[in-house]
Amino acid sequence: DGGITQSPKYLFRKEGQNVTLSCEQNLNHDAMYWYRQDPGQGLRLIYYSQIVNDFQKGDIAEGYSVSREKKESFPLTVTSAQKNPTAFYLCASSGSIYQPQHFGDGTRLSIL
Amino acid sequence: DQQVKQNSPSLSVQEGRISILNCDYTNSMFDYFLWYKKYPAEGPTFLISISSIKDKNEDGRFTVFLNKSAKHLSLHIVPSQPGDSAVYFCAASDEAGNNRKLIWGLGTSLAVNP
């Protein structure tokens, strides 16, 4: 089945630790995205990548980092510099940045 | 400051009737609009989109209407089915559907009762 896999579904980390969220797609999509969802707010773009080995900051990139070494994979690292990391994180992909996105099922990150 | 507003957090409709979900926007530069549907514990799924050069787009039971002068769009589901029960998100772009530029609403939770 083609789709986007985010793992893990729930993640707990201690304050001050970096944590990496996984996102893999087998849709052969060029573009991939990371969003954050908080209560009372719409989805906000963290980072996006249009092609392998290239990525750009979204609206709320501070405290996050990404890599795009393979077409299928776009991991997101939440660093200790992110002041309020507890949130629901969604990964998406699309054939291009002008095509509708397909989303994974999300990772809920909680900082203890 | 919400540029895309879904003012009804929830909506309840009887099976077989019409569901109308509304979305208002403030930025007159928005030129492309999308609706996504989200079930619990799953990611959003693309439903339907509309460009600002149109005022209506239809796909099966789903129709989106755009009123540019009122900065308002609506999603009609006819007939509504219990499987349509989900959260519906409206999103807008000011760059012809560029996903980098999407602004999302907070969603409306639709319950279709048998």
Side-chain angles (χ1 to χ4, degrees), chain A residues 37-110:
Chain A
Q37 186 178 27
D38 293 283
Q41 300 204 38
L43 295 180
R44 292 182 293 167
L45 184 65
I46 304 172
Y47 266 99
Y48 67 96
S49 167
Q50 295 188 60
I51 55 172
V52 175
N53 293 322
D54 182 63
F55 49 83
Q56 305 293 332
K57 292 182 180 180
D59 300 319
I60 55 165
E62 187 175 347
Y64 299 97
S65 66
V66 293
S67 63
R68 187 87 188 274
E69 296 175 4
K70 297 186 300 181
K71 189 175 187 177
E72 302 80 22
S73 178
F74 192 40
L76 173 74
T77 297
V78 185
T79 75
S80 56
Q82 169 48 235
K83 298 290 183 242
N84 186 18
T86 295
F88 186 59
Y89 291 88
L90 280 164
C91 178
S93 72
S94 61
S96 77
I97 59 172
Y98 292 99
Q99 293 178 304
Q101 298 166 81
H102 296 250
F103 282 84
D105 289 341
T107 293
R108 187 164 297 281
L109 174 64
S110 298

Side-chain angles (χ1 to χ4, degrees), chain A residues 23-42:
Chain A
C23 179
E24 304 277 331
Q25 55 100 358
N26 60 6
L27 299 167
N28 200 33
H29 284 168
D30 284 317
M32 296 188 75
Y33 316 80
W34 274 105
Y35 288 93
R36 171 179 172 141
Q37 186 178 27
D38 293 283
Q41 300 204 38

Side-chain angles (χ1 to χ4, degrees), chain B:
Chain B
D1 179 30
Q2 283 285 123
Q3 294 188 64
V4 176
K5 300 177 186 178
Q6 295 179 255
N7 292 318
S8 299
S10 62
L11 177 68
S12 183
V13 169
Q14 207 65 26
E15 181 179 5
R17 306 294 289 267
I18 184 171
S19 295
I20 300 176
L21 296 104
N22 294 306
C23 180
D24 296 297
Y25 60 96
T26 57
N27 188 344
S28 57
M29 299 302 292
F30 286 149
D31 58 6
Y32 192 76
F33 305 87
L34 307 93
W35 284 94
Y36 279 80
K37 170 181 175 180
K38 183 183 180 304
Y39 291 118
E42 294 183 13
T45 303
F46 171 70
L47 259 183
I48 192 168
S49 63
I50 187 166
S51 163
S52 60
I53 61 173
K54 293 185 172 183
D55 54 18
K56 175 183 174 181
N57 189 25
E58 195 171 347
D59 184 2
R61 295 185 299 115
F62 302 92
T63 303
V64 56
F65 294 92
L66 176 62
N67 182 333
K68 289 184 288 293
S69 61
K71 295 193 183 71
H72 176 84
L73 65 155
S74 60
L75 175 68
H76 293 210
I77 307 174
V78 183
S80 301
Q81 300 173 354
D84 296 328
S85 298
V87 177
Y88 289 79
F89 291 97
C90 170
S93 166
D94 64 0
E95 200 173 297
N98 188 330
N99 288 313
R100 299 174 301 177
K101 298 284 192 173
L102 286 181
I103 305 296
W104 295 76
L106 300 185
T108 296
S109 180
L110 172 67
V112 179
N113 305 308

Side-chain angles (χ1 to χ4, degrees), chain A residues 7-19:
Chain A
S7 60
K9 205 165 184 68
Y10 300 94
L11 192 52
F12 299 90
R13 279 296 181 268
K14 290 185 180 178
E15 198 166 341
Q17 286 184 335
N18 290 358
V19 60

